[in-house]
Amino acid sequence: MKKYRRIFVVVLDSLGAGAMDDAAQYGDAGTDTLGHISASVERFTIPNLQKLGLANLHPLKQVAPVEHPLARYTTLREASCAKDTMTGHWEMMGLRTTVPFKTFTDTGFPPELIAELERQTGHKCIGNKSASGTVILDELGEEEIATGHMIVYTSADSVLQICGNEETFDLQELYRCCEIARKITMRDEWKVGRVIARPYVGKKRGEFVRTSNRHDYAVKPTGRTALNVLKDAGFDVISIGKINDIFVGEGITEAQKSKSSVHGMEQTIAMTQRDFTGLCFVNLVDFDALWGHRRNPVGYAQEIERFDKKLGELLPLLRKEDLLILTADHGNDPTHTGTDHTRERVPFLAHSPSMQEGRRLKEKPTFAVIGASVLDNFDLTMPENTIGTSILPELI
């Protein structure tokens, strides 16, 4: 008989907990997202994460360990040869990635790719470089509005992003162009993990604001995951945030978009009032998108504090047959050089009101223990060609 009826897996996107042993190979030696955020600010008020045991797991300058933590806690190593959103989430559900997706951070996209994109969309491409989304809007938004050209840019991630003004470019036209870009970038030499539509509003520099109508066009998972098994067995698989985009709908029974990480937590809190059986899988992207990539440790710390307040609302609503898992998909140390993700271990905190006590667990060799444990809870097994061994007995 299954132990838990509802499992909530909440991904604090990019909240790494210290460099992996091979971090130097990725240019990330000495990185520590959580530790360096704590070291960068004077105040760090996270009472709910504290009582779960976050400071027991990872030393924090302002936050003391607690004598009786509520969670079972450890760190997870990444088995995949990568440090990005898609591979991190895919690994949680059993897929190990051995060849990272392409990035075009230093050079922009090849002229041949841009020419093909222009030919098929009918729009001239401007930009074609690595940039902050807000900065490139101030630089090129007025030109895009005046000419109908298309702003194309990338970042430190494996992404091709296209901006379009909702009032002049048209949202559906933006989506059409992104669908074309997705097909073009399926070629091995151009394959990026995601094409992202970045709609915005405003008429002039300094007034441009990106809207919540963002849409991600990701590569489909390379095989069946724990999500497929859950769905096929008749269980609920509810995604909140960009989970549905990351898995391209594979194994998802219900998808909810989020306007922000705070909104994502409000949606998760609302799910505690729903009578479902299965998994609620949540991604909170603002840690990464707003603060990690922009190398802002103060903003990142404040985002964690906002999360902690919502966590304080969530915890009393959990039932004895609920399991809450907090984790991350990679690091993004806001004190590190550049703007890229960082190759780090990730935290793992598991809590249920039915747990007798919290304690430290031995570090695990892969994120995939999450998906394997979820399936084990519902008497299911991982699909072929996946990794991950259940640690459910340690979570009861």
Side-chain angles (χ1 to χ4, degrees):
M1 182 179 294
K2 57 183 176 290
K3 171 63 179 177
Y4 299 110
R5 185 179 178 193
R6 306 188 302 183
I7 299 178
F8 298 83
V9 175
V10 180
V11 181
L12 284 67
D13 198 307
S14 85
L15 189 63
M20 291 266 292
D21 295 339
D22 62 357
Q25 299 175 27
Y26 294 78
D28 296 333
T31 53
D32 181 356
T33 300
L34 180 57
H36 290 158
I37 289 169
S38 173
S40 298
V41 295
E42 290 303 315
R43 295 178 62 257
F44 196 30
T45 306
I46 50 171
N48 297 294
L49 285 166
Q50 181 183 26
K51 69 182 183 182
L52 288 180
L54 186 63
N56 299 62
L57 172 65
H58 191 295
L60 300 174
K61 183 177 73 172
Q62 313 86 336
V63 184
V66 293
E67 186 174 356
H68 299 291
L70 298 181
R72 310 282 168 87
Y73 56 90
T74 186
T75 50
L76 310 179
R77 299 196 301 271
E78 184 167 10
S80 296
C81 302
K83 54 175 181 176
D84 64 53
T85 296
M86 287 176 58
T87 56
H89 285 78
W90 288 2
E91 183 170 321
M92 290 178 205
M93 295 299 127
L95 297 180
R96 181 173 182 263
T97 301
T98 57
V99 179
F101 292 109
K102 300 286 186 182
T103 57
F104 298 91
T105 311
D106 297 329
T107 61
F109 298 104
E112 298 83 4
L113 189 161
I114 294 297
E116 187 64 18
L117 185 58
E118 291 180 336
R119 185 185 72 79
Q120 292 195 34
T121 63
H123 295 277
K124 179 181 177 181
C125 296
I126 55 177
N128 189 25
K129 60 183 179 181
S130 178
S132 159
T134 52
V135 171
I136 205 163
L137 284 182
D138 276 343
E139 179 184 346
L140 297 174
E142 291 179 354
E143 180 180 348
E144 185 259 313
I145 291 170
T147 63
H149 296 339
M150 187 165 67
I151 301 171
V152 176
Y153 70 107
T154 189
S155 69
D157 296 337
S158 178
V159 295
L160 184 153
Q161 304 185 80
I162 302 178
C163 299
N165 189 289
E166 291 193 9
E167 299 164 324
T168 59
F169 195 92
D170 183 66
L171 188 60
Q172 295 308 314
E173 175 66 4
L174 175 62
Y175 291 162
R176 183 188 73 89
C177 293
C178 287
E179 289 167 3
I180 291 170
R182 177 68 279 174
K183 292 177 182 177
I184 292 172
T185 55
M186 290 305 295
R187 287 174 50 171
D188 287 343
E189 64 269 32
W190 297 343
K191 187 176 285 188
V192 295
R194 287 175 292 159
V195 171
I196 305 177
R198 290 286 196 178
Y200 68 99
V201 293
K203 300 186 185 304
K204 62 181 180 180
R205 182 181 293 109
E207 296 180 356
F208 296 129
V209 178
R210 295 194 295 190
T211 75
S212 61
N213 289 320
R214 162 183 169 161
H215 186 72
D216 292 37
Y217 300 82
V219 175
K220 280 194 173 185
T222 53
R224 282 171 55 80
T225 72
L227 302 183
N228 297 106
V229 175
L230 278 170
K231 180 180 179 181
D232 291 350
F235 292 99
D236 296 302
V237 184
I238 301 162
S239 79
I240 293 177
K242 64 179 184 177
I243 295 295
N244 190 62
D245 288 337
I246 293 168
F247 288 89
V248 199
E250 289 288 317
I252 306 296
T253 62
E254 178 185 336
Q256 299 182 17
K257 283 192 168 186
S258 302
K259 298 176 182 178
S260 66
S261 288
V262 168
H263 181 223
M265 280 300 290
E266 290 170 348
Q267 292 169 298
T268 306
I269 291 166
M271 284 304 305
T272 65
Q273 305 305 306
R274 288 266 301 272
D275 187 24
F276 72 93
T277 302
L279 173 67
C280 178
F281 197 4
V282 183
N283 175 277
L284 306 177
V285 72
D286 287 352
F287 304 97
D288 185 57
L290 297 184
W291 315 115
H293 285 303
R294 297 180 188 178
R295 295 302 188 248
N296 186 337
V298 175
Y300 205 136
Q302 292 170 345
E303 191 71 47
I304 297 172
E305 290 180 333
R306 285 190 286 272
F307 166 79
D308 190 84
K309 289 181 180 179
K310 290 299 177 182
L311 179 62
E313 297 176 26
L314 174 66
L315 290 175
L317 300 176
L318 295 177
R319 307 169 187 170
K320 287 188 175 182
E321 65 270 25
D322 292 340
L323 176 66
L324 171 67
I325 295 173
L326 304 180
T327 190
D329 52 344
H330 50 72
N332 200 346
D333 188 337
T335 70
H336 194 46
T337 57
T339 60
D340 198 359
H341 295 151
T342 45
R343 175 78 168 171
E344 296 184 50
R345 295 169 171 83
V346 301
F348 175 93
L349 297 96
H351 168 70
S352 172
S354 64
M355 284 181 177
Q356 296 298 313
E357 60 180 358
R359 63 176 183 271
R360 180 184 288 272
L361 308 177
K362 183 179 178 181
E363 185 177 76
K364 308 306 176 186
T366 171
F367 300 173
V369 297
I370 296 173
S373 300
V374 171
L375 289 193
D376 186 19
N377 179 73
F378 295 109
D379 298 321
L380 300 170
T381 57
M382 293 290 281
E384 292 184 6
N385 302 314
T386 55
I387 62 172
T389 302
S390 172
I391 60 169
L392 184 65
E394 299 180 72
L395 309 180
I396 293 174

